[in-house]
Amino acid sequence: MGNAVVTLKKGEGRTLKAGGMWVFDNEVDSVSGIFENGDIVAIHDFDGYFMGYGFINTNSKIVVRILSRRKEHPVTEELLEQRVRDAWEYRKRTVDISCCRVVFGEADFLPGIVIDKFADVLVVESLALGIDRLKRLILEKVRKALAEDGIIIRGIYERSDAKIREKEGMERFKGFIGEPFDTKVQIAENGVKYMVDVQDGQKTGFFLDQKNNRAAIQGLCRGKKVLDCFTHTGSFALNAGIAGAVSVLGVDASGAAIRQAQENAALNGLEDRVEFICADVFDFLPGLEEKGEKFGMVILDPPAFTKSRNSVKNAVKGYREINLRGMKLVEDGGFLATCSCSHFMDPGLFAKTIREAAKGAHKRLRQVEFRTQAPDHPILWAADESYYLKFYIFQVVNEK
């Protein structure tokens, strides 16, 4: 750790003072001392008051990401090991650890790094320069903590191929850390088996954040005809099938995802009840409506329609349209599961958009439940970036 000090402007650092993990470039008054981007620095308020240690990157709008808020706790190997152990102990208490997110960036006080566990394989995504330098050490500490619980990791794959790395002045990268291994990994979740492609699947290979939400739809699907939109590799569709739906139709625009979904259906012996179609959902749903199709449950799990504040208006149009179309396909008294995984689509705006869609579809909604991401993706209050998934289940009834 170097001796450079980042000093904030007077009146700035409000988010940091409220418990946040980031310092933005427009909040910085000066940087004193010698440093390289990625180094650990101290953060001081305008009057010299110590506020924390973090790693600096002047190429990024997030110029400092906080690792420690205590002056007596500098960033050492011991501190990083404690962060990892705390993260693992939390997962052991809150989720099924056969497959889970072991480290969730800022929410585990290790900003910029995500580590997912699929059976005996780890997948890491590194999104910030400073944490990238510490990546191998953190992975070593994860392996050590898991081994103490009898979990031996056979391989690690890196999926640091997100475009956001370029904003940090870093190249995008994917590949093995250590010895190569078979990157097709079989997992089980909620009684459903999947083949996860950690090399070429989306993000780290599988969306673990919907684990509890997938389980929540099972009881409502039994004996029903189900439509799963944006099915990806079939996770909601297969949960419906395994729960006893009479038929399930999954739709996704990705041919590769549909092929994987079909393989997953075969893995669970559900080929006779769960069908997948490669099509654009926005184009496909009006055709179902014209045919007079109705479903006991419609599931909408779209990708993020917005990844910045600048595109929120267009995202609202997309969410409104897809929810309106979905509601029209639900039989009277049937159910709609709908979600947004965009951080920038805040809960209030998402609820307003669903309400507008219901009005346009001439449907009335009775809320069954509201959920967020699974507990292995904890939401750190004061660090809004950790809260992104909003998930509703509604009963949809005709206007009466």
Side-chain angles (χ1 to χ4, degrees):
M1 188 167 73
N3 60 357
V5 175
V6 173
T7 301
L8 303 182
K9 296 175 183 175
K10 187 173 183 177
E12 295 292 352
R14 287 183 291 274
T15 300
L16 180 62
K17 293 168 186 175
M21 303 288 287
W22 293 349
V23 175
F24 290 92
D25 55 359
N26 61 358
E27 297 180 299
V28 174
D29 180 61
S30 65
V31 183
S32 60
I34 299 171
F35 72 93
E36 293 181 0
N37 281 329
D39 283 355
I40 304 297
V41 298
I43 302 94
H44 289 181
D45 205 354
F46 74 98
D47 57 1
Y49 182 81
F50 177 85
M51 299 188 70
Y53 298 110
F55 50 80
I56 189 169
N57 187 353
T58 57
N59 291 319
S60 174
K61 284 190 175 296
I62 306 170
V63 72
V64 180
R65 297 176 191 248
I66 302 298
L67 278 164
S68 172
R69 304 176 76 91
R70 304 282 291 276
K71 192 169 187 178
E72 66 271 25
H73 293 160
V75 181
T76 61
E77 183 174 336
E78 290 73 24
L79 178 80
L80 295 174
E81 181 165 352
Q82 189 59 53
R83 291 277 191 267
V84 166
R85 288 186 178 279
D86 289 346
W88 180 237
E89 287 300 317
Y90 167 81
R91 269 70 184 181
K92 285 160 63 177
R93 288 179 174 269
T94 58
V95 294
D96 168 17
I97 58 171
S98 63
C99 297
C100 66
R101 177 151 293 182
V102 178
V103 173
F104 185 39
E106 281 75 357
D108 285 306
F109 311 106
L110 289 168
I113 192 168
V114 165
I115 303 173
D116 285 346
K117 174 184 175 293
F118 299 110
D120 57 355
V121 166
L122 295 179
V123 183
V124 59
E125 182 181 31
S126 169
L127 300 173
L129 179 61
I131 210 74
D132 203 64
R133 291 182 172 186
L134 302 170
K135 172 181 62 192
R136 288 180 179 264
L137 177 59
I138 292 168
L139 286 165
E140 175 189 315
K141 300 304 181 185
V142 170
R143 265 189 140 148
K144 179 181 176 183
L146 270 58
E148 289 173 5
D149 285 322
I151 301 168
I152 305 304
I153 296 300
R154 68 179 171 91
I156 302 175
Y157 197 82
E158 182 166 2
R159 286 296 305 269
S160 299
D161 49 349
K163 194 172 182 180
I164 195 171
R165 275 175 65 97
E166 295 173 357
K167 294 182 179 180
E168 289 272 317
M170 303 162 67
E171 293 182 358
R172 297 157 81 172
F173 174 81
K174 61 187 287 189
F176 295 99
I177 294 180
E179 292 298 314
F181 57 91
D182 183 357
T183 54
K184 297 286 182 71
V185 185
Q186 183 172 321
I187 67 168
E189 177 198 271
N190 302 334
V192 182
K193 300 172 188 173
Y194 304 92
M195 287 302 297
V196 175
D197 184 350
V198 302
Q199 178 173 312
D200 295 318
Q202 286 192 23
K203 298 282 190 176
T204 60
F206 186 77
F207 296 112
L208 292 164
D209 52 5
Q210 292 274 29
K211 178 186 298 185
N212 292 0
N213 301 337
R214 288 189 278 262
I217 61 106
Q218 288 193 4
L220 300 174
C221 292
R222 194 170 297 113
K224 298 292 184 180
K225 184 178 171 183
V226 176
L227 174 66
D228 178 21
C229 302
F230 310 99
T231 191
H232 190 227
T233 56
S235 57
F236 274 104
L238 295 172
N239 273 265
I242 209 115
V246 294
S247 69
V248 184
L249 177 61
V251 186
D252 199 276
S254 166
I258 288 295
R259 286 190 293 275
Q260 186 65 66
Q262 290 166 337
E263 290 178 20
N264 287 335
L267 190 63
N268 290 276
L270 293 172
E271 310 98 309
D272 60 330
R273 283 185 286 137
V274 183
E275 176 189 0
F276 295 101
I277 291 177
C278 184
D280 183 287
V281 172
F282 284 93
D283 295 335
F284 188 73
L285 295 195
L288 291 178
E289 188 182 339
E290 287 174 15
K291 294 175 185 176
E293 293 274 11
K294 292 290 181 181
F295 297 86
M297 183 163 210
V298 172
I299 301 159
L300 304 174
D301 182 21
F305 289 159
T306 175
K307 295 186 178 179
S308 72
R309 298 192 189 283
N310 297 332
S311 58
V312 167
K313 284 187 178 180
N314 286 333
V316 167
K317 292 178 184 177
Y319 284 115
R320 186 189 299 122
E321 171 71 11
I322 203 65
N323 278 278
L324 184 149
R325 295 290 180 189
M327 289 176 200
K328 287 185 174 183
L329 291 169
V330 179
E331 65 188 20
D332 187 23
F335 296 92
L336 173 76
T338 183
C339 65
S340 167
C341 61
S342 171
H343 162 67
F344 295 100
M345 190 74 177
D346 68 59
L349 182 58
F350 187 49
K352 178 175 180 286
T353 303
I354 295 170
R355 191 177 298 114
E356 290 170 352
K359 183 178 179 181
H362 303 290
K363 301 289 184 180
R364 302 192 72 182
L365 302 180
R366 294 204 288 198
Q367 183 177 320
V368 179
E369 58 181 310
F370 173 74
R371 293 168 167 264
T372 59
Q373 58 244 37
D376 53 344
H377 296 61
I379 297 168
L380 179 65
W381 283 37
D384 290 345
E385 61 277 359
S386 65
Y387 179 21
Y388 63 95
L389 183 60
K390 286 76 62 179
F391 180 89
Y392 282 101
I393 299 177
F394 296 104
Q395 185 184 44
V396 181
V397 296
N398 295 337
E399 289 186 339
K400 297 176 181 178

